[in-house]
Amino acid sequence: MNNIKNLTAVGIVGSTSLDGLGLAVTETDGVDVYCRGPSRTVPYEDELLDQIRSVLGKRADSPENAVNIRRAEIAFSEFAAAAVCGFVQEESLVPDVLGFGGHTVCHRPSEHYTHQIGDGQLMADLTGIRTVTRFRNADILAGGQGAPFAPVYYEALAAKMERPLVIVDIGGTSEIVWLGSSGEMKAFVCGPGNAVINDWVTKHGGMYMDYNGKLAVTGHVDQKILNTLMHHKYIALSPPKACDRTVFAEKMEHLEGLTLEDGAATATAFVAESVAYSMALYLPEPPREVIVCGGGAKNPTLMRFLRQRLPEVSVRNASDVGWEAEAADAQAAAFWAVRRLYRLPVSFPSTTGVVEPVIGGEIFEPAARS
């Protein structure tokens, strides 16, 4: 591709909150976002959800885990390919490329290791569309944290907004993206996200999530337990830093003994408190505004907790500024794919800690069909 032109890309990302598979269309040249098209979330089938849960936190380079992780990868890739084909047909799309973010099962930057299930060649073959995946590997190999990668997309999306600005992306974990008034950018995974809430209500309430924060809003935050949770060693680490959802799972045992509602309220407060604490401690300058994306933006109780802890800042839902809260991760994957085709970096020293900007992603061409 010698000429820079706008491309139509479909992003595909498995939610780290286990809400489902996100799909979204973005028209971009890898620098500017010209159009954000249709998006949707496809819930996981129960059998696939169980397969994904069974491999979370496990390393694929371990022989005892490799077979199960590969089995989950094939099932996930086939599910994602079927979802893409249905999406493309129903929306009458002709994508130039797919950005297949996959589903993170283990992310351990301190061990120079990351693994996302998602077979790029299988996706390309089943859909017949050029596919870019494995975005994080090059950054990890270059000594980076392998996340977050969303900042380069948010920089483009918020190009005309007043700075300094913070975007908080709350999925399975929570990411903070700070955009400075002179073009500076800083980002890191700050702490827990929806996963700690979802895991609690799944274990004790038989539900996949606390829908609309209805359990948390009727519960009471146990301040003593919240203070204990906030002593998690990860939260005390200075950026750059990144982790996966499993890092906070062990600490959540402190909730045992609480009622379902009080546990949901305390877990929700843990998410909000870690975001506010990290903003106060690690940002170069306080923002004028905070925009919340991801599944967390749909939780009114979490949004209320954030506003209580950030009284001096305007905290807005992504939908309030015309963004699609739950589509952001898939849109970002589409954006990364186009940047890869045009050999533009997706990670930077100020976002992942690499020495110099890194181009991420591997390109897979569909097999020729007879």
Side-chain angles (χ1 to χ4, degrees):
M1 292 187 178
N2 296 321
N3 297 320
I4 302 296
K5 62 178 182 178
N6 294 351
L7 299 178
T8 299
V10 174
I12 312 107
V13 177
S15 165
T16 52
S17 303
L18 300 179
D19 299 340
L21 184 76
L23 303 168
V25 180
T26 301
E27 183 182 334
T28 178
D29 61 1
V31 176
D32 297 310
V33 177
Y34 294 97
C35 179
R36 288 174 282 121
S39 63
R40 69 176 60 170
T41 300
V42 183
Y44 291 135
E45 298 166 350
D46 288 345
E47 183 178 353
L48 177 58
L49 183 58
D50 290 340
Q51 281 186 287
I52 295 173
R53 283 188 181 278
S54 72
V55 299
L56 290 177
K58 297 179 179 178
R59 292 183 58 140
D61 56 1
S62 171
E64 61 268 28
N65 299 328
V67 173
N68 288 336
I69 291 176
R70 179 57 179 163
R71 187 179 295 120
E73 179 170 58
I74 292 172
F76 172 73
S77 301
E78 290 176 342
F79 176 83
V84 168
C85 290
F87 183 55
V88 166
Q89 183 176 7
E90 291 167 26
E91 300 293 344
S92 301
L93 300 171
V94 184
D96 296 295
V97 65
L98 303 179
F100 191 18
H103 196 297
T104 298
V105 296
C106 186
H107 191 72
R108 296 284 188 270
S110 62
E111 301 170 12
H112 305 289
Y113 180 84
T114 189
H115 187 74
Q116 291 72 41
I117 55 172
D119 188 316
Q121 189 62 64
L122 184 57
M123 173 65 83
D125 292 345
L126 292 176
T127 62
I129 305 168
R130 171 183 287 185
T131 299
V132 183
T133 190
R134 300 177 184 170
F135 291 103
R136 304 189 187 279
N137 297 40
D139 184 85
I140 286 285
L141 289 173
Q145 294 287 302
F149 281 10
V152 69
Y153 173 67
Y154 288 127
E155 171 68 27
L157 198 59
K160 297 181 180 179
M161 293 185 174
E162 193 171 0
R163 315 288 179 92
L165 172 70
V166 162
I167 296 103
V168 179
D169 191 337
I170 304 177
T173 56
S174 296
E175 297 179 0
I176 290 175
V177 179
W178 180 85
L179 302 174
S181 53
S182 300
E184 313 98 316
M185 183 166 58
K186 182 173 183 176
F188 54 97
V189 177
C190 67
N194 298 325
V196 295
I197 307 169
N198 295 354
D199 288 351
W200 170 260
V201 300
T202 297
K203 181 178 180 180
H204 296 278
M207 300 173 287
Y208 287 134
M209 66 184 72
D210 182 9
Y211 295 96
N212 295 319
K214 290 182 178 180
L215 291 173
V217 76
T218 60
H220 295 87
V221 175
D222 188 306
Q223 192 61 47
K224 184 177 180 180
I225 292 178
L226 176 59
N227 291 342
T228 300
L229 294 174
M230 284 299 297
H231 280 90
H232 195 292
K233 60 184 180 181
Y234 179 85
I235 295 174
L237 292 175
S238 297
K241 59 180 179 176
C243 66
D244 63 32
R245 55 176 282 153
T246 63
V247 168
F248 305 99
E250 185 176 336
K251 272 282 188 180
M252 303 314 292
E253 291 182 0
H254 289 289
L255 299 179
E256 298 297 335
L258 297 180
T259 65
L260 175 63
E261 293 79 10
D262 288 356
T266 305
T268 304
F270 183 29
V271 177
E273 189 80 15
S274 63
V275 170
Y277 176 88
S278 298
M279 284 180 55
L281 202 61
Y282 301 127
L283 297 187
E285 183 183 1
R288 296 175 181 270
E289 184 173 56
V290 173
I291 300 172
V292 182
C293 297
K298 294 183 65 178
N299 184 329
T301 305
L302 177 53
M303 291 296 294
R304 178 166 61 86
F305 283 0
L306 282 169
R307 291 186 176 109
Q308 288 172 348
R309 287 160 174 79
L310 298 168
E312 306 299 322
V313 183
S314 171
V315 179
R316 303 176 71 187
N317 190 301
S319 61
D320 296 337
V321 296
W323 298 356
E324 299 84 1
E326 286 191 289
D329 287 344
Q331 290 170 348
F335 189 73
W336 303 337
V338 176
R339 287 184 70 86
R340 174 61 186 87
L341 294 183
Y342 289 139
R343 299 194 59 78
L344 298 171
V346 291
S347 62
F348 306 85
S350 61
T351 60
T352 68
V354 286
V355 175
E356 58 185 12
V358 172
I359 299 168
E362 296 180 32
I363 302 170
F364 295 88
E365 301 289 352
R369 297 182 179 181
S370 56

